[in-house]
Amino acid sequence: MSRIAIIGCGVVGSSWTLVFARAGHEVVVYDPSPASADATLAFVRDSLAGTPELEAVIARIRTAPTLEEAVADASYVQESSPERLPIKQELYARLDTLVPPKVVIGSSTSGLPASSFTETLATRARCLVVHPVNPPHLIPLVELVPAPWTAPEALAFAGELMDAVGQQPIRLSREINGFVVNRLQSALLGEAFRLVEDGIVSTEDVDKAVAEGLGLRWFFMGPFETIDLNASTGIAEYCRNLGPMYYELAREQADPREWKAPLVATLEAARRVSVPAEKLSARRLWRDRWLAALVAAKAQIRKELGR
Amino acid sequence: MSRIAIIGCGVVGSSWTLVFARAGHEVVVYDPSPASADATLAFVRDSLAGTPELEAVIARIRTAPTLEEAVADASYVQESSPERLPIKQELYARLDTLVPPKVVIGSSTSGLPASSFTETLATRARCLVVHPVNPPHLIPLVELVPAPWTAPEALAFAGELMDAVGQQPIRLSREINGFVVNRLQSALLGEAFRLVEDGIVSTEDVDKAVAEGLGLRWFFMGPFETIDLNASTGIAEYCRNLGPMYYELAREQADPREWKAPLVATLEAARRVSVPAEKLSARRLWRDRWLAALVAAKAQIRKELGR
């Protein structure tokens, strides 16, 4: 057990608080807006309502009135401040003088490379991106993205900590736009937008193609294992047989498009038929209940069938 | 209830046989190799072993010694012959004279447009692609792809039949290389191969990014609903906020690459560490058991939480 400082208590910081506290860590949360820090406690209470661990988890969390106090005894800092470079730069300049020696600082940023806000810091070797998939307490994955100056020990520490709290780490060798998760999502979204823009298929049917088809395999296998099992001797045979077809498709897809207003209006209209604007919040709760149920079902199936 | 003719009894035809027979249809199966037709019955027996419906399902299936007999009383034909154009052309020329009036012929082809093997046929208005995701008895999705001459009634018939047997149809407006499912998969695979080739991330970590991250949402939502719920007022706001970032990524990804031998060797080596060659068959059984368990878990969660 160690003491984790959560800096920034929006949706992501609140979810991180739950991740660390339910794993047994003491968590100190800080947000420039004290109301946000309090909301984090309310979020954890709501999320664990009716479960036996609620009080024990809550007892491990406290809010700190200042950044100084939040990080004073921390053994790890998870920063989830707003996604704007000047804010991160100013915050990290302060963390640079406040964070105890050797303590690693992970940023939840989904888009800014750590090098863009840590270059001039004395602590820069201890800084890296530890990017969750939203919401972290339901999706057990993080991306570890080192800056050019991140020390291997800092990367190793973050990887072990994430493994220990149940957030499986993937390790990028270097900074790249969008990291891995958003790059993969980008590729799929690009083709999804293209197919709708070209009138090939409806918005609803794209979602169905994934949610009733491709997503069933990707839920537990990933794209490489999926194709590896789709040729009798494995992935090399698959690539030999289907590589030329995929290359042809890739050439057709090498057509980057902006998401223009008329297309976005079409998508928005289709989505509002499925879920009216006033029901979006309820639908998000539905999503989170699905994710929680799926995570439980997956754990159960894993017990029976193995990983 | 109606009589379904299954033409071609490889992996796909066998799985289709199970789909139709378990839904209550009489199924007549034909393959030029009688052993294949018999193997289909064995496949259905294995798949339903230990279930109460086994004997009733088996009782609905019979093999036909000739193509003529297989289609003589059929009310729908699902063709799953080998994926080679001359074979399909020759087969469809025969079906053209044998299939009773008004009967629709769906092809399981994953890569050949129906126009390439039906153009000259008297029955061409009744032909279309009805493309499953492998294996159809575990993945409840089909793509309906009309040729330019496919009659709307044929498309409508196939859609209703698929809905009735639990294979949710998506409807393409016209033929396109790779249809929708493989185009979406192609986009994701292209980026996955690129990230490994460029040394950003390991094969295993790409699979983890999907199987522990992106795939959890795509299992039940699809890519459009996923982003719709990721901005407070919905997809239009998401596109406004993140469109420029995704356009930047799309430009970086507009780099179609052949799957070259050294990269394929890297992937093959990584996969064989995870699953040695001699364990691939067992791993496929593991996959199918996972899919069956997931389909059951999903149905259960849907009962509780809704679609």
Side-chain angles (χ1 to χ4, degrees), chain B residues 72-251:
Chain B
D73 300 315
S75 46
Y76 174 71
V77 177
Q78 182 73 41
E79 169 272 312
S80 308
S81 66
E83 203 69 344
R84 294 213 299 281
L85 189 55
I87 293 179
K88 298 245 191 248
Q89 288 173 328
E90 195 190 322
L91 174 62
Y92 274 78
R94 291 181 64 202
L95 289 172
D96 198 34
T97 63
L98 295 174
V99 170
K102 300 197 179 166
V103 167
V104 171
I105 310 173
S107 174
S108 301
T109 178
S110 61
L112 302 167
S115 60
S116 66
F117 50 83
T118 65
E119 185 170 9
T120 62
L121 306 181
T123 56
R124 69 180 197 170
R126 295 189 256 138
C127 296
L128 76 161
V129 168
V130 178
H131 174 232
V133 180
N134 213 12
H137 71 286
L138 294 173
I139 302 202
L141 182 86
V142 286
E143 304 187 86
L144 306 183
V145 192
W149 41 78
T150 303
E153 301 75 37
L155 197 61
F157 176 88
E160 283 162 27
L161 178 63
M162 289 300 131
D163 255 332
V165 300
Q167 301 299 108
Q168 294 191 45
I170 66 169
R171 293 166 178 84
L172 279 68
S173 63
R174 57 181 165 85
E175 295 177 333
I176 181 171
N177 284 331
F179 312 144
V180 163
V181 168
N182 276 335
R183 289 185 80 89
L184 291 169
Q185 176 162 252
S186 164
L188 191 83
L189 282 176
E191 182 59 16
F193 277 70
R194 191 180 292 117
L195 288 167
V196 173
E197 187 166 44
D198 292 349
I200 302 294
V201 67
S202 69
T203 314
E204 297 80 357
D205 277 2
V206 167
D207 272 356
K208 213 184 263 188
V210 174
E212 305 295 340
L214 289 162
L216 270 70
R217 304 187 295 203
W218 290 340
F219 180 74
F220 69 109
M221 292 197 300
F224 286 126
E225 175 147 29
T226 296
I227 64 174
D228 190 39
L229 299 184
N230 268 352
S232 64
T233 63
I235 193 168
E237 179 188 341
Y238 186 94
C239 292
R240 242 183 347 263
N241 291 344
L242 294 173
M245 177 199 82
Y246 279 112
Y247 181 56
E248 201 51 52
L249 294 181
R251 290 181 357 137

Side-chain angles (χ1 to χ4, degrees), chain A residues 163-180:
Chain A
D163 255 332
V165 299
Q167 301 299 106
Q168 294 191 45
I170 66 170
R171 294 166 177 83
L172 279 68
S173 64
R174 57 180 167 85
E175 295 179 332
I176 181 173
N177 284 331
F179 312 143
V180 163

Side-chain angles (χ1 to χ4, degrees), chain A residues 177 211 228 252 272 283 298, chain B residues 177 211 225 228 252 298:
Chain A
N177 284 331
D228 190 40
E252 293 181 20
R272 294 293 70 77
R283 189 73 174 169
K298 195 175 192 177
Chain B
N177 284 331
E225 175 147 29
D228 190 39
E252 293 181 18
K298 195 176 192 177

Side-chain angles (χ1 to χ4, degrees), chain A residues 2-13:
Chain A
S2 54
R3 181 165 296 169
I4 309 293
I6 300 291
I7 308 303
C9 295
V11 173
V12 176

Side-chain angles (χ1 to χ4, degrees), chain A residues 198-259:
Chain A
D198 291 349
I200 302 294
V201 69
S202 69
T203 313
E204 297 81 356
D205 278 2
V206 167
D207 272 356
K208 214 184 264 189
V210 174
E212 305 295 338
L214 289 162
L216 270 71
R217 304 187 295 205
W218 290 341
F219 179 75
F220 69 108
M221 292 197 298
F224 286 126
E225 175 147 29
T226 295
I227 65 174
D228 190 40
L229 299 184
N230 267 353
S232 64
T233 62
I235 194 169
E237 179 187 341
Y238 186 94
C239 292
R240 244 184 345 264
N241 292 344
L242 293 174
M245 177 199 83
Y246 279 112
Y247 181 57
E248 202 50 54
L249 294 180
R251 290 181 358 134
E252 293 181 20
Q253 293 168 334
D255 165 24
R257 300 186 189 175
E258 293 183 83
W259 296 348

Side-chain angles (χ1 to χ4, degrees), chain A residues 254-272:
Chain A
D255 165 24
R257 300 186 189 175
E258 293 183 83
W259 296 348
K260 298 220 180 91
L263 172 59
V264 172
T266 301
L267 297 171
E268 168 75 7
R271 287 299 313 152
R272 294 293 70 77

Side-chain angles (χ1 to χ4, degrees), chain B residues 14-25:
Chain B
S14 296
S15 179
W16 271 124
T17 300
L18 175 51
V19 166
F20 287 112
R22 77 182 172 194
H25 295 284

